[in-house]
Amino acid sequence: MVKMNALQVFGKLCYSLCMFKDIYAISYKMKRELYHRICTVVTAVILCFVSVSLFMMFILFPVRNVSEAMTPDIPENSLEFVIPLLRTPKRGDVVLIQPYPVEKHSLPVRLINLLCRFVTAQQWEPFQGDKNGNRSVPFIRRAIGMPGDTIYLDNYLLYIKPKKESHFLTEFELTQSKYDITVANAPVQWDKDLGAKGNTKEITLGEDEYFVLCDNRLESSDSRTWGVVKQTAFRGKAVLVYFPFSKFRLL
């Protein structure tokens, strides 16, 4: 058995201490690298959500049309892209509209909604309704009557006399957008002044008043039910149906 003198023992102890110091330094460096990577990933995820949220808040966001109100061109359960910056419609534009005033929630509820919209890229919030029902969900409709128009409905077709004009023309003669409407054959004794009215009296729209209609004229609610709407009720312009793919089209 080899015996080590005191000098050798001291030297080996120093060497061991140096090795321990190197291992500690390496471990600390690895921890810093791991911390830096975690911070980088978290920052990238947050920036991604912020970018998507800002894009969908100001540039483009999807909405789901859950009713048959806009058939045949926009089917039930279809998905459309909406540009929120385009809130002043032209005649024939398909618009996202919120005709009812929305009840303002308390600050904690608004913060929860804001957080949920942020996490889901503006797609969902837990508190939407008010005491009179879920009125905060906007609708997809078509803006046809413009400010200053004199309008009336006859057999579900809108007739329009634009401001400073002397003759009435049909909505299809005045709109540049190409679209179809659904008008089922009502029973012979059906009163077209009831429900979704097919006939109305002449009205003249004010300077900030619009008349919006669904394309399915027999069943759905629109300005015939709500009355004329203000420009502030519009939440954006729908520009594209992208699902189902068989109905893919520009609006």
Side-chain angles (χ1 to χ4, degrees), residues 71 116 143:
T71 55
C116 291

Side-chain angles (χ1 to χ4, degrees), residues 156-180:
Y156 300 101
L157 185 64
L158 191 68
Y159 289 81
I160 305 166
K161 183 174 69 174
K163 188 176 181 180
K164 297 182 180 180
E165 297 291 335
S166 57
H167 300 287
F168 282 93
L169 298 172
T170 68
E171 57 186 279
F172 296 114
E173 293 174 293
L174 289 172
T175 56
Q176 295 182 353
S177 303
K178 303 299 181 183
Y179 60 94
D180 296 315

Side-chain angles (χ1 to χ4, degrees), residues 64-136:
R64 180 184 292 274
N65 175 46
V66 297
S67 73
E68 297 181 349
M70 296 300 292
T71 55
D73 292 337
I74 305 177
E76 183 180 9
N77 292 321
S78 61
L79 295 173
E80 292 76 44
F81 276 127
V82 172
I83 299 178
L85 292 178
L86 301 180
R87 298 195 176 190
T88 303
K90 297 179 181 178
R91 194 187 309 278
D93 283 352
V94 177
V95 293
L96 186 67
I97 183 172
Q98 195 164 7
Y100 301 111
V102 180
E103 180 183 356
K104 291 186 177 180
H105 296 294
S106 62
L107 180 60
V109 171
R110 293 203 302 269
L111 290 176
I112 292 173
N113 279 342
L114 180 64
L115 177 62
C116 291
R117 288 198 304 269
F118 172 77
V119 172
T120 61
Q122 306 299 321
Q123 291 305 293
W124 179 78
E125 59 184 29
F127 303 101
Q128 296 182 344
D130 57 24
K131 295 178 182 179
N132 298 317
N134 191 8
R135 290 187 168 185
S136 65

Side-chain angles (χ1 to χ4, degrees), residues 116-251:
C116 291
R117 288 198 304 269
F118 172 77
V119 172
T120 61
Q122 306 299 321
Q123 291 305 293
W124 179 78
E125 59 184 29
F127 303 101
Q128 296 182 344
D130 57 24
K131 295 178 182 179
N132 298 317
N134 191 8
R135 290 187 168 185
S136 65
V137 177
F139 303 93
I140 292 287
R141 295 292 186 268
R142 193 178 299 277
I144 303 178
M146 298 288 105
D149 287 348
T150 300
I151 60 174
Y152 69 91
L153 273 166
D154 183 18
N155 196 27
Y156 300 101
L157 185 64
L158 191 68
Y159 289 81
I160 305 166
K161 183 174 69 174
K163 188 176 181 180
K164 297 182 180 180
E165 297 291 335
S166 57
H167 300 287
F168 282 93
L169 298 172
T170 68
E171 57 186 279
F172 296 114
E173 293 174 293
L174 289 172
T175 56
Q176 295 182 353
S177 303
K178 303 299 181 183
Y179 60 94
D180 296 315
I181 63 175
T182 299
V183 179
N185 292 323
V188 176
Q189 297 181 346
W190 181 265
D191 189 348
K192 294 180 180 179
D193 292 329
L194 299 177
K197 296 180 180 180
N199 299 324
T200 64
K201 297 179 180 179
E202 288 185 15
I203 61 170
T204 299
L205 302 178
E207 291 301 318
D208 186 33
E209 294 181 339
Y210 296 82
F211 198 85
V212 300
L213 288 169
C214 53
D215 289 349
N216 183 354
R217 299 288 167 85
L218 194 63
E219 299 180 0
S220 302
S221 61
D222 46 37
S223 284
R224 294 171 293 177
T225 305
W226 315 325
V228 297
V229 295
K230 302 288 187 179
Q231 192 270 338
T232 54
F234 298 111
R235 293 293 175 263
K237 176 184 175 181
V239 294
L240 177 71
V241 179
Y242 68 94
F243 186 84
F245 300 122
S246 61
K247 289 292 184 177
F248 186 91
R249 59 171 295 178
L250 291 172
L251 296 174

